[in-house]
Amino acid sequence: MIQVIGYGNPGRGDDGLGPAFAARISGLSNVRVCSDYQLTVDHALLIASATQVVFVDAMMGSDSPFEFGPMTPSTAQDLTSHSLSPAAVLALASTLFEATPKGFVLGISGVAFGRVHEGLSPQARANLTLAEAYFRDWLAMAHSQDLAEDRANA
Amino acid sequence: MTDTPRTIEISPVTRVEGHGKVTIHLDQNGIVDEARLHIVEFRGFERFIHGRLLWEVPVIVQRLCGICPVSHHLAAAKAMDVICGVDELPPTAEKMRRLMHYGQVMQSHVLHFFHLAAPDLLFGFDAPAAKRNIFEVLREKPELGRRAILMRKFGQDIIEATAGKKIHGTAAIPGGINHNLPIATRDAFLKTVAEMQDWALDALALARDYTLGHAELVGGFGVFPSKYMSLVRADDGALDLYHGNLRMIEPDGSAVFDQLPYDKYHEVLREDVRAWSYMKFPFIKDMGPDDGWYRVGPLARMNTVSFIDTPRANAARDELMAANNGQRTHAILANHWARMIEVLHCVEKITELLHDPDLQGTDLRATGDRREEGIGVIEAPRGNLIHHYKVDENDQVTYCNLIVSTTHNNEGMNRAVKAVAVKELSGQSEITEGMLNHVEVAIRAYDPCLSCATHALGQMPLEVQLLDANGHIIDRRARAL
């Protein structure tokens, strides 16, 4: 099972890219989708039953419309907020539940974060569409690999 | 030691929601002259609400905060009840809302205690930063960490079952609730609630033992008397997190006011504005900002209420009060003990409600004669929360005023920062990270929620700056959150 967690605050403009992505892909087969304001310790339990997990968040300061890549658990950083980093959630899942799903992060570029308002900027919407298309292609490949691994294990 | 005044900045304050910054001003002799907690992020949320339809306000206000959205959902719904002419909800609606609220307070307190406070409490305030995190707690006490997550999940599941969704719940509507609790859902909770109570008792023992076992530290860390305010139950003054009247006490427990209907809050409270912070400073109008400030939150509630109407939590409160010879407790670190008493209270209340057949009732909503103004007040996890709205004939919001718990505590937090800074930093030739953490611990004791952190990837570095009198940076530390 692939778990997608889209997180951010939709009341803060492009910070809502994560939840907007989650809404777009909700209903896809073999994907469990969760949307939240931020990552917390609870998400360690959520991902413990997944084979792969994709963390989707808004991104600042990149020239790319989106960035996607693998990530590994990390306990190195400070855990100094109510919210956690994706790497810390992965590490918690491993530490607490001996779960080691493969981790990926999908950062989607936003440009308007400052003031309280709902809705994505036109640039963020365009980036979201590109990220979604990429993710759907990746998902098809990931499912194929999962099936191949299942067959090999059988 | 420098021969010129210095300013130390901690920006943003870690483990706090939103963007805060602490500045500590040292004089030429290295003595703390002034210390301030600045809130450098302007929310502008009240204007954002203008023009919104009254029906959507209880949902939209959850955008305010990723940590306690349920509190805003319920406070706004209570205000809109009034605007819709409803002064008393059907029992099913009120009990569903209460269940939602108890789930919220429980999971919020659990997160704070186990995740945010535990590293400081277990390893000490002077421990290296690398040691003060949840992974180190888990290494030493793995079962504690596992329980904390499962207790959080229980509270979150209660929220999902009552609010409709874990985030952006829609269940509390003006005049009532939009669904009841199915029996199958109730039965699922009943299977685990007893275990939650056992774990809540264990957590309470942990917090109590820490407080009593570190009496010297707790009794000397940011301790100063203040007034306290919370809702209390009408008539008998019991702890009531969802509804009641306002009570404010002096440090010795005598009443400033009591059983004040909360829709009169604006007759007794004012908010002061200071140029160096976006967060206002509430105070009692007749006393002025210097004498009329007060604190809210778990410890404030333990101090204000006459008793707790659930037996185990009440016994625990009695023990807390007895530890201070029956007097009100002013030690900010005792907030952790108070929080765990409230976790136990919430679990007891949840248990009580799950056995109440009203939760399966079908009378979900009341109606009444439309009004133009409504005020809703609730005791959120961090303390008293006020929502105040005016609505025009088109059902659009024309006025919104919110006083959130952290704003109530603004003066208290600033005084705590100064008290700790004076003790830890004055006269020191070197400012260590452990000293700075003492200051942050004082702030974290209030579990402040500076709200709505925009946490996009790449944002929110922590930067500590040491500046001389001319504003030049003479030292800097930074780490990514």
Side-chain angles (χ1 to χ4, degrees):
Chain A
M1 174 62 69
I2 294 171
Q3 174 73 55
V4 174
I5 305 176
Y7 58 102
N9 186 346
R12 281 308 190 90
D14 290 350
D15 194 39
L17 272 164
F21 182 88
R24 282 205 181 187
I25 63 159
S26 182
L28 288 178
S29 59
N30 295 320
V31 180
R32 201 168 56 191
V33 180
C34 159
S35 179
D36 218 327
Y37 281 107
Q38 51 207 329
L39 298 176
T40 64
V41 289
D42 327 324
H43 294 110
L45 183 62
L46 181 72
I47 69 171
S49 55
T51 55
Q52 303 185 72
V53 57
V54 181
F55 298 95
V56 187
D57 194 4
M59 180 170 66
M60 299 176 75
S62 172
D63 294 331
S64 304
F66 65 89
E67 291 179 11
F68 181 85
M71 49 170 298
T72 53
S74 172
T75 63
Q77 69 179 95
D78 282 335
L79 293 178
T80 51
S81 170
H82 286 95
S83 61
L84 300 180
S85 69
V89 174
L90 276 181
L92 273 178
S94 172
T95 304
L96 285 171
F97 306 110
E98 297 178 350
T100 54
K102 290 179 191 167
F104 299 88
V105 63
L106 172 59
I108 307 174
S109 285
V111 292
F113 293 94
R115 62 190 176 87
V116 177
H117 69 288
E118 288 185 303
L120 300 175
S121 67
Q123 184 64 57
R125 281 200 301 273
N127 294 343
L128 175 63
T129 299
L130 292 172
E132 182 189 354
Y134 179 90
F135 176 80
R136 286 176 182 270
D137 289 344
W138 175 85
L139 190 64
M141 189 180 65
H143 278 152
S144 302
Q145 286 176 350
D146 271 357
L147 286 172
E149 284 178 17
D150 287 347
R151 281 195 210 101
N153 292 334
Chain B
M1 191 85 63
T2 66
D3 57 2
T4 57
R6 289 182 296 161
T7 300
I8 302 164
E9 286 193 359
I10 307 171
S11 175
V13 173
T14 56
R15 262 183 277 178
V16 167
E17 291 315 302
H19 294 192
K21 180 176 73 173
V22 171
T23 57
I24 302 163
H25 305 264
L26 307 179
D27 66 14
Q28 288 89 340
N29 299 314
I31 304 300
V32 171
D33 182 44
E34 184 58 84
R36 287 171 172 167
L37 169 64
H38 309 249
I39 304 306
V40 294
E41 183 183 37
F42 177 60
R43 286 205 318 262
F45 201 84
E46 282 134 326
R47 289 195 61 79
F48 172 67
I49 291 293
H50 283 198
R52 295 288 187 164
L53 294 170
L54 73 90
W55 307 103
E56 59 179 341
V57 169
V59 176
I60 291 170
V61 291
Q62 293 171 87
R63 305 275 198 244
L64 259 172
C65 178
I67 295 298
C68 53
V70 170
S71 302
H72 291 291
H73 180 52
L74 292 175
K78 289 180 73 176
M80 294 308 166
D81 293 341
V82 175
I83 287 176
C84 291
V86 175
D87 294 321
E88 188 173 349
L89 297 179
T92 300
E94 177 167 333
K95 289 174 182 176
M96 282 291 285
R97 288 189 188 184
R98 281 183 175 275
L99 185 59
M100 190 191 310
H101 191 40
Y102 296 132
Q104 154 82 352
V105 175
M106 173 196 172
Q107 60 89 29
S108 176
H109 281 351
V110 165
L111 176 71
H112 177 85
F113 183 68
F114 288 103
H115 184 196
L116 305 177
D120 291 327
L121 304 186
L122 282 176
F123 305 126
F125 307 162
D126 293 316
K131 183 82 175 168
R132 291 193 316 266
N133 66 55
I134 190 68
F135 290 108
E136 294 298 323
V137 174
L138 294 176
R139 272 194 195 102
E140 303 226 354
K141 298 184 179 296
E143 181 59 18
L144 197 66
R146 199 181 67 81
R147 282 185 181 185
I149 286 185
L150 293 174
M151 288 178 81
R152 275 272 297 176
K153 183 176 186 307
F154 182 83
Q156 297 272 19
D157 288 347
I158 291 272
I159 291 170
E160 192 167 3
T162 50
K165 291 188 282 187
K166 197 165 72 172
I167 63 166
H168 298 177
T170 55
I173 55 177
I177 198 90
N178 67 9
H179 70 283
N180 64 14
L181 191 72
I183 286 180
T185 308
R186 177 201 66 185
D187 290 347
F189 287 128
L190 281 171
K191 284 179 184 168
T192 50
V193 73
E195 189 170 47
M196 292 302 127
Q197 184 157 310
D198 290 343
W199 292 356
L201 282 163
D202 288 346
L204 171 64
L206 198 64
R208 178 200 61 206
D209 292 350
Y210 174 84
T211 311
L212 297 177
H214 296 77
E216 191 175 341
L217 169 68
V218 172
F221 189 86
V223 179
F224 48 86
S226 74
K227 300 173 180 62
Y228 298 98
M229 186 182 82
S230 77
L231 289 179
V232 296
R233 194 161 69 187
D235 302 329
D236 65 5
L239 175 69
D240 195 329
L241 298 172
Y242 176 76
H243 195 60
N245 294 322
L246 291 170
R247 173 183 286 175
M248 184 181 286
I249 61 165
E250 295 283 1
D252 65 1
S254 59
V256 177
F257 51 77
D258 195 12
Q259 296 293 357
L260 180 77
Y262 61 61
D263 61 2
K264 297 188 185 307
Y265 85 91
H266 51 296
E267 295 179 11
V268 294
L269 298 182
R270 284 284 181 276
E271 292 177 272
D272 194 22
V273 177
R274 297 178 195 172
W276 45 269
S277 180
Y278 278 122
M279 193 155 67
K280 295 177 181 175
F281 290 77
F283 63 94
I284 304 161
K285 186 175 70 172
D286 292 343
M287 296 183 178
D290 289 340
D291 297 325
W293 64 278
Y294 55 92
R295 289 188 277 187
V296 303
L299 184 61
R301 289 190 282 256
M302 294 302 108
N303 283 334
T304 56
V305 303
S306 303
F307 67 103
I308 300 177
D309 70 344
T310 55
R312 291 184 163 188
N314 191 51
R317 177 183 174 271
D318 287 346
E319 197 175 2
L320 170 69
M321 301 304 277
N324 204 37
N325 300 315
Q327 303 300 309
R328 267 61 186 178
T329 302
H330 307 300
I332 56 173
L333 289 178
N335 264 301
H336 301 306
W337 188 354
R339 253 179 223 113
M340 292 305 101
I341 293 172
E342 291 192 338
V343 167
L344 179 59
H345 171 66
C346 288
V347 177
E348 287 184 294
K349 281 298 204 184
I350 289 168
T351 306
E352 196 178 284
L353 283 166
L354 290 174
H355 287 96
D356 190 330
D358 278 345
L359 284 180
Q360 283 76 48
T362 54
D363 182 12
L364 301 179
R365 190 172 162 219
T367 55
D369 294 330
R370 181 80 150 64
R371 298 168 179 140
E372 293 180 347
E373 186 172 3
I375 296 168
V377 178
I378 201 164
E379 285 296 319
R382 290 154 188 81
N384 189 265
L385 170 65
I386 297 172
H387 278 224
H388 184 177
Y389 303 96
K390 292 178 185 174
V391 176
D392 67 14
E393 64 278 10
N394 299 316
D395 289 345
Q396 289 180 300
V397 173
T398 58
Y399 172 84
C400 169
N401 186 44
L402 311 176
I403 304 181
V404 304
S405 315
T406 300
T407 304
H408 285 297
N409 279 331
N410 199 359
E411 182 69 31
M413 286 192 295
N414 271 278
R415 289 183 184 236
V417 165
K418 183 166 185 183
V420 173
V422 165
K423 184 174 181 187
E424 299 294 330
L425 298 172
S426 278
Q428 300 290 338
S429 58
E430 185 185 356
I431 309 300
T432 66
E433 187 159 325
M435 291 175 190
L436 295 178
N437 192 51
H438 277 74
V439 174
E440 293 192 11
V441 168
I443 300 169
R444 282 202 289 275
Y446 293 89
D447 194 15
C449 183
L450 304 183
S451 175
C452 286
T454 300
H455 57 85
L457 293 173
Q459 211 187 24
M460 286 190 74
L462 170 70
E463 185 168 329
V464 181
Q465 291 186 340
L466 195 63
L467 299 104
D468 64 18
N470 299 317
H472 298 132
I473 296 172
I474 55 177
D475 194 10
R476 169 187 272 169
R477 294 179 195 181
R479 57 180 185 260
L481 288 182

